[in-house]
Amino acid sequence: MIEIGKFIVGVLIVLGSLLSILTTVGMLRFPDTYTRGHAASKSATLGIMLILIGTALYFWITEGYISGKVILGIVFILMTTPVASHLITRASYNNGVALWKGSVRDDLEKKYKQQKKQ
Amino acid sequence: MLDIFMLISLIILSLASIGLLYRVVKGPGVTDRVMALDAIGINLMAITAIMCIMMNTDAFLDIILVIGILAFVGTVAFSKFLERGEVIERDRNR
């Protein structure tokens, strides 16, 4: 029973690290800041959540106690990483970082011009 | 068998951190560098968790939470600096 649990833990952690390297591939290959932010927030969040779920499961299986700190870390990461990505992407838009040439619509542009006129 | 899984994921996470470090060095804008540093912090949390499992101790589980909080606070402070020009603004109503 413990061996099956350890196998599940190993699979969870390898899946999380594969999602983490998917983040790196996205950061290296996407053309502009906004798509890179898209890659950096979602897959990194899911990857670290899988790894921390595996850690909590490991300590629950082998030692027999549920670690509140790890569960708190999972909830904290789930709440804060998208917020941080949103803030840094909005800062780059307000600094005038250009979109990729192939992007077709920019909904914020009209609103931004209206704000400048006022 | 668990040790082999842990070694594989440590190697994968190290490769991911090296790729993000390339983005930190060469990124065209400041915001790319900040996002890459945030992702490196997240990778560091994962490496700490895996080291916890490999050493079979629960002494480093606090470190995971602390790194997460520090990465969030740093990213928020830097984005506010980029947007407004200062991190803590003066109170004008006083």
Side-chain angles (χ1 to χ4, degrees):
Chain A
M1 196 63 198
I2 287 181
E3 286 302 316
I4 296 173
K6 279 185 177 177
F7 182 76
I8 292 172
V9 167
V11 168
L12 275 178
I13 287 179
V14 169
L15 273 180
S17 49
L18 284 178
L19 271 172
S20 169
I21 205 167
L22 207 63
T23 305
T24 303
V25 172
M27 285 294 277
L28 291 182
R29 287 191 55 88
F30 275 156
D32 71 343
T33 307
Y34 308 102
T35 44
R36 268 179 229 139
H38 176 84
S41 66
K42 277 91 182 169
S43 53
T45 309
L46 187 57
I48 187 67
M49 278 174 65
L50 283 181
I51 289 178
L52 289 185
I53 286 171
T55 309
L57 205 62
Y58 176 80
F59 283 109
W60 185 41
I61 288 167
T62 58
E63 314 264 332
Y65 81 101
I66 298 173
S67 171
K69 285 174 280 193
V70 179
I71 294 172
L72 201 63
I74 294 168
V75 175
F76 189 81
I77 284 296
L78 178 63
M79 284 194 302
T80 58
T81 310
V83 176
S85 173
H86 164 77
L87 284 175
I88 196 69
T89 315
R90 196 183 62 177
S92 67
Y93 192 88
N94 285 339
N95 274 351
V97 176
L99 269 72
W100 180 44
K101 285 172 202 153
S103 52
V104 287
R105 60 183 287 180
D106 185 6
D107 280 343
L108 271 179
E109 196 179 11
K110 212 185 285 176
K111 201 179 168 188
Y112 202 56
K113 275 181 186 170
Q114 270 183 359
Q115 271 186 358
K116 266 192 176 177
K117 272 182 188 173
Q118 280 175 3
Chain B
M1 189 189 64
L2 194 65
D3 280 343
I4 298 172
F5 274 150
M6 296 297 116
L7 269 180
I8 290 171
S9 27
L10 269 185
I11 291 169
I12 291 173
L13 283 168
S14 318
L15 287 178
S17 297
I18 288 172
L20 288 171
L21 205 62
Y22 172 79
R23 183 50 77 191
V24 171
V25 171
K26 200 174 169 293
V30 185
T31 49
D32 292 315
R33 297 192 168 107
V34 176
M35 278 190 297
L37 278 175
D38 195 24
I40 284 179
I42 290 175
N43 278 351
L44 209 60
M45 290 171 64
I47 289 174
T48 314
I50 291 172
M51 287 309 287
C52 253
I53 294 183
M54 281 183 83
M55 295 165 81
N56 203 6
T57 171
D58 60 337
F60 305 133
L61 291 183
D62 305 330
I63 315 289
I64 301 171
L65 199 50
V66 171
I67 292 175
I69 292 170
L70 283 181
F72 176 63
V73 170
T75 309
V76 168
F78 214 93
S79 66
K80 198 170 175 190
F81 172 71
L82 286 176
E83 200 160 354
R84 303 261 172 90
E86 53 190 342
V87 178
I88 301 172
E89 297 171 26
R90 289 175 67 184
D91 190 7
R92 295 212 174 83
N93 295 325
R94 199 165 50 182

